[in-house]
Amino acid sequence: MIIGTPKEIKNNENRVALTPAGAKELVKRGHQVFVQHTAGIGSGFSDEEYVSAGATILPTIEEVYAIADMIIKVKEPIEPEYKLIKEKQLLFTYFHFASYEPLTKAMVESKAVCLAYETVEKTDKSLPLLIPMSEVAGRMAIQKGANYLEKPLKGRGILLGGVPGVLPAKVLILGGGIVGTQAAWMAAGLGADVTIMDVSLARMRYLADVMPANVKTMMSNEYNIREMVKHSDLIVGAVLIPGAKAPHLITRDMLKIMKPGTVLVDVAVDQGGCIETCKPTTHENPTYIIDDVVHYCVANMPGAVPYTSTLALTNATLPYAIQLADKGWKKAAQQNNDLIPGLNVINGDIVYKAVAEAFNMDYVPVEKYLAD
Ligand SMILES: NC(=O)c1ccc[n+]([C@@H]2O[C@H](COP(=O)([O-])OP(=O)(O)OC[C@H]3O[C@@H](n4cnc5c(N)ncnc54)[C@H](O)[C@@H]3O)[C@@H](O)[C@H]2O)c1
């Protein structure tokens, strides 16, 4: 198969969907790989590395789209890319269709096959191509939080791990899923006094088993949250209710009972945030202050660490990309059912129910396309 990896053109996106190592794996299997000039540079991979791996560099994005049977990228195509997409071309990338109608309509019109990273799903309901980014964001939440606790950045001026004779900072993590667990490991490693709140007893039993002694668990409810925020220095929002907006666990009035200089990192900002006063920010302007409380609400946290994020993402996507290249999307999905819910648009039909419902468009069951 001919595989193309364009350079990401969305503002501030430095990740790339294929590393030189990934290109080599595909070439080894007899596929042809075309990478756009400087596509990997933001993540630290030069054109020469791709060439050594057996890929061919193309100067323009137009040439990459024109030659490829399968496009592997990171972010959803944006407007200038719509017209480059060909009928029957397979696009394997993040799409987040339900949040943007013009993209959905453009992909329907293109008659391409759109396989979305975010809806590839294992039988245990886990989302293998979202997990790596949650891992990055969870770890980064503590790195950022520790930084913004410093006085010159308007924080309380407390060192996360304390020093001998001085107590460490208190870190409260709302939600003990992927983001929350990774945040807890980092905060615990730095010596902070960590509490994870969740509503799932099973999850908290697991966390209590595997976490070090400076991590405690507590049932998430309004009473407990109100008590905990009074004494916390850093609060991480990491709640997810699949398919729904995040609940506002921290309400505006709670800011008044927090210590001045408390830092809130709301990782769940992409689902509306679990802190009522959260509004999306960018890496250029990551924080704002309300009632002396520092808010960090960057919606694409992994974008700041493209080297790590690219490797984490491609470690997860490459095995699927290889199956798609070896077998074509139909046979690959028939043989690996994780890929079936990833199919969102095929040949002008929306085959993912929630996307069709979001825009009141026609829905065609994916089975129509999977039958032999
Ligand atoms: N900002 C970013 O750059 C970025 C990056 C990656 C992920 N995210 C977001 O981070 C959020 C968390 O993702 P995840 O992968 O950890 O999800 P997850 O499903 O692994 O974990 C969510 C956890 O929240 C818990 N929960 C649900 N309701 C709760 C409540 N009322 N109180 C406390 N806990 C509750 C669940 O039991 C679960 O353990 C999502 O919104 C995700 O989209 C943001």
Side-chain angles (χ1 to χ4, degrees):
M1 188 182 274
I2 300 179
I3 297 143
T5 298
K7 187 177 169 84
E8 296 297 321
I9 52 175
K10 197 165 177 179
N11 190 21
N12 262 317
E13 180 54 67
N14 286 300
R15 287 173 293 176
V16 62
L18 196 64
T19 61
K24 186 162 196 156
E25 288 304 315
L26 289 163
V27 170
K28 243 168 50 189
R29 287 170 166 77
H31 304 296
Q32 277 180 281
V33 176
F34 291 87
V35 177
Q36 190 186 338
H37 170 54
T38 70
I41 212 76
S43 297
F45 304 117
S46 67
D47 285 356
E48 291 70 35
E49 288 174 85
Y50 285 101
V51 172
S52 309
T56 304
I57 301 294
L58 289 176
T60 64
I61 193 167
E62 286 79 10
E63 288 161 281
V64 175
Y65 273 95
I67 202 165
D69 304 316
M70 166 161 70
I71 291 285
I72 313 182
K73 55 189 263 77
V74 179
K75 294 304 277 187
E76 72 282 0
I78 59 174
E79 219 260 310
E81 288 172 291
Y82 294 170
K83 60 180 184 307
L84 306 178
I85 295 164
K86 301 182 296 184
E87 195 172 328
K88 293 204 161 61
Q89 194 166 43
L90 172 60
L91 302 174
F92 189 38
T93 186
Y94 286 122
F95 279 101
H96 297 288
F97 276 118
S99 61
Y100 195 49
E101 189 170 2
L103 170 71
T104 310
K105 291 205 157 136
M107 293 307 105
V108 165
E109 275 166 31
S110 74
K111 294 202 157 56
V113 178
C114 300
L115 217 156
Y117 289 168
E118 69 275 8
T119 56
V120 170
E121 187 177 306
K122 289 190 170 288
T123 41
D124 66 1
K125 298 277 173 215
S126 64
L127 303 169
L129 305 186
L130 275 183
I131 287 174
M133 293 305 103
S134 286
E135 289 171 334
V136 172
R139 290 185 171 224
M140 208 175 135
I142 299 303
Q143 195 167 306
K144 284 290 163 194
N147 195 220
Y148 283 103
L149 277 171
E150 291 173 15
K151 201 71 186 171
L153 296 173
K154 310 277 185 269
R156 277 203 72 218
I158 185 170
L159 190 61
L160 220 52
V163 288
V166 182
L167 288 177
K170 288 190 190 312
V171 177
L172 174 63
I173 299 173
L174 301 171
I178 307 291
V179 169
T181 302
Q182 296 302 316
W185 280 119
M186 295 305 275
L190 286 169
D193 175 356
V194 185
T195 304
I196 305 177
M197 288 184 140
D198 206 295
V199 284
S200 160
L201 266 181
R203 185 68 190 169
M204 288 192 285
R205 283 193 183 108
Y206 164 76
L207 291 168
D209 263 355
V210 300
M211 284 286 160
N214 55 336
V215 179
K216 288 152 263 167
T217 56
M218 193 181 194
M219 180 52 79
S220 170
N221 57 46
E222 191 187 332
Y223 184 90
N224 286 348
I225 292 173
R226 207 169 269 282
E227 282 306 305
M228 290 300 291
V229 300
K230 288 182 200 163
H231 311 289
S232 299
D233 301 295
L234 168 60
I235 301 174
V236 176
V239 161
L240 178 67
I241 301 178
K245 275 188 77 174
H248 286 156
L249 300 181
I250 297 202
T251 49
R252 198 196 153 118
D253 61 301
M254 289 185 197
L255 301 189
K256 297 254 187 294
I257 56 171
M258 292 179 190
K259 291 181 283 196
T262 298
V263 174
L264 308 181
V265 177
D266 200 347
V267 184
V269 54
D270 59 339
Q271 302 294 328
C274 56
I275 294 164
E276 190 180 1
T277 45
C278 159
K279 58 175 195 294
T281 59
T282 60
H283 290 295
E284 286 75 43
N285 250 328
T287 58
Y288 56 92
I289 295 176
I290 302 176
D291 292 344
D292 290 328
V293 171
V294 181
H295 292 59
Y296 175 99
C297 308
V298 174
N300 66 330
M301 292 173 70
V305 288
Y307 174 78
T308 305
S309 299
T310 286
L311 289 173
L313 178 64
T314 55
N315 283 344
T317 53
L318 186 66
Y320 293 111
I322 288 172
Q323 291 165 40
L324 292 166
D326 286 352
K327 301 172 187 169
W329 65 266
K330 185 173 168 183
K331 207 168 198 183
Q334 284 168 337
Q335 292 180 6
N336 181 348
N337 291 351
D338 298 1
L339 289 166
I340 296 177
L343 290 161
N344 278 234
V345 178
I346 303 176
N347 192 22
D349 286 333
I350 298 181
V351 295
Y352 194 90
K353 203 169 190 182
V355 174
E357 282 171 0
F359 305 121
N360 222 352
M361 290 165 81
D362 290 337
Y363 162 68
V364 175
V366 70
E367 287 71 28
K368 170 183 160 189
Y369 285 98
L370 290 175
D372 270 322

